[in-house]
Amino acid sequence: MVADGLAAAAAAFLIHAAYGRWAVALVLPPTWIVAMFAHRTYDRSALGLGTEEYRRVLRGAVALPAMSAFAYWLFTHDSALLHDMIMAAVPVAVIAVFVRYTLRRRLHRRWARDRDRSATLLFGPSQGIVELAAVLRRGGAQELQVAGVCLSDPENAAAIRKLGLPFLGVIGDIDDVVRALGINTLVVLPVPGADVSVLRRMSWAAAAQGVDFLLAPVLTDVATSRLAVRPTNGVPLVRIKAPDLSRFSRLPKEVLDRFLAGALLLFLALPMLLIALVVRLDSPGPALFRQQRVGRYGDQFTMLKFRTMRPDSEALRAQLQHLNENSDGLLFKVKQDPRITRVGSFLRRSSLDELPQLINVVKGHMSLVGPRPSLPEEVEEYAPDVKRRLLVKPGLTGLWQVSGRSDLPWEEAVRLDLGYVDNWSTGLDLSILARTGSAVVRGTGAY
């Protein structure tokens, strides 16, 4: 609230400096805070993660002119004040979003130091607990801190202990565990054959102790924007919206991709020419490496990269198969690959070898953000579920790059790609692009 008040005061100062209206400085801060209350931007469930907090702030900014018009009609009848309040909606929204982003980053740093996190108890079958714990651990900064596990199948407690999580009992022990450990959040997974009345009593007990009660869905990797509750005769059914992959919905992405790629090519033309010259001087062979990759709907195209290996690298691949770091899947990656040239090693660590793929983006074969571009022989081995990643164009960057690249197990890389296909949005693309810079600097999995 203090941050919102300061953001509104800053916007009011800008309006006053531009129009000389001191009244805005008095009216805008309380009006803005009322708008934020009305749109539930202080709801704890919306703070810290996801885009819902920002959407509520922007909806409040849209409502601000309407509130100002009502105040104008009811009290002031000052048309100049009404005009200033309408003009203030844009700067106050921009400042408020920036301030909330800054506070969110601060909160994530506190979570990373195990501060201000919510002590969480998990309850459910062991297999579901194992999968949920893996999701929570790979999700980065988050509020939930797993303090222990209660199982519906305690005979499988060994699987929980392997994860380093305390096994604290069964369903009958939950109340005692909550009190003893000061649990703030209870997460319950679906238990096959469980009576609905059991869940109802658990929710009542959690409410009586002031504990948040969360039900984990059976289906994971679904963006919250695709979820909606549809009450039917008192039963809250969760509707999962189908991903919108139509050409019309993706038209803005296509236009933005080609525009940004073209602009980057013009800006990076000279550095790319210098890189090409260095590649040619470092080792014999062409500056560009051309390779067939599989794009959207299985269409093949020629992907471009700066050459980072010896010209006979493909012929030597069979001899290095035993060194493959990704033996659990279809990817072929070797950390200390003897085929890589001196310059090629630097280009790979810095991801500069991928700059020619901007040409593929301009041509429409690739996107700036998307799944990893696959080799034809990889696609031939894909299971039917994995082929779903071919519904969108491959990307110059993507969730696979900002999450670890070649260090990721095959199953995790597939999960990220399928999650991107199902949950694609402009906001997700912008988020991935924003994270790409730090991922490139870290160089994690780039070899």
Side-chain angles (χ1 to χ4, degrees), residues 104 136 184 275 377 412:
R104 174 177 290 197
L136 294 177
N184 305 115
I275 293 173
E377 55 267 30
E412 179 69 3

Side-chain angles (χ1 to χ4, degrees), residues 351 354 396-405 436 439-440 442 444:
S351 297
E354 298 178 355
L396 184 62
T397 184
L399 286 174
W400 50 276
Q401 185 178 56
V402 301
S403 303
R405 302 170 74 175
T436 297
V440 170
R442 291 194 307 270
T444 304

Side-chain angles (χ1 to χ4, degrees), residues 4-156:
D4 277 339
L6 294 176
F13 174 78
L14 294 176
I15 296 298
H16 174 68
Y19 298 100
R21 295 288 297 175
W22 63 267
V24 175
L26 298 176
V27 176
L28 181 57
T31 306
W32 177 254
I33 291 177
V34 169
M36 294 299 95
F37 262 115
H39 288 83
R40 297 187 299 118
T41 65
Y42 303 120
D43 185 352
R44 191 166 182 267
S45 64
L47 298 177
L49 295 171
T51 59
E52 178 61 24
E53 178 184 359
Y54 299 131
R55 281 198 292 265
R56 294 182 184 184
V57 170
L58 296 178
R59 285 197 292 265
V62 172
L64 185 62
M67 296 175 62
S68 303
F70 176 75
Y72 160 73
W73 174 80
L74 191 61
F75 300 111
T76 67
H77 298 285
D78 183 350
S79 59
L81 177 60
L82 174 61
H83 171 267
D84 294 342
M85 291 291 287
I86 294 174
M87 293 296 296
V90 174
V92 73
V94 171
I95 297 173
V97 168
F98 174 76
V99 169
R100 283 171 178 262
Y101 172 78
T102 304
L103 292 175
R104 174 177 290 197
R105 297 286 296 179
R106 176 178 177 270
L107 179 61
H108 287 183
R109 288 193 294 269
R110 294 177 69 85
W111 285 350
R113 297 193 296 266
D114 285 335
R115 300 178 62 184
D116 298 333
R117 299 182 69 187
S118 178
T120 302
L121 177 66
L122 306 182
F123 169 73
S126 57
Q127 181 60 38
I129 296 290
V130 169
E131 294 176 359
L132 178 60
V135 170
L136 294 177
R137 287 178 172 178
R138 70 192 175 207
Q142 58 180 299
E143 182 183 8
L144 302 183
Q145 183 178 33
V146 179
V149 174
C150 289
L151 292 176
S152 60
D153 52 347
E155 63 274 11
N156 296 322

Side-chain angles (χ1 to χ4, degrees), residues 28 38 103 105 124 148 162 230 253 296 362 389 411 441:
L28 181 57
L103 292 175
R105 297 286 296 179
K162 286 182 180 179
R230 176 184 290 178
K253 176 182 173 68
R296 183 171 56 183
V362 172
R389 68 199 301 276
E411 292 80 3
V441 172

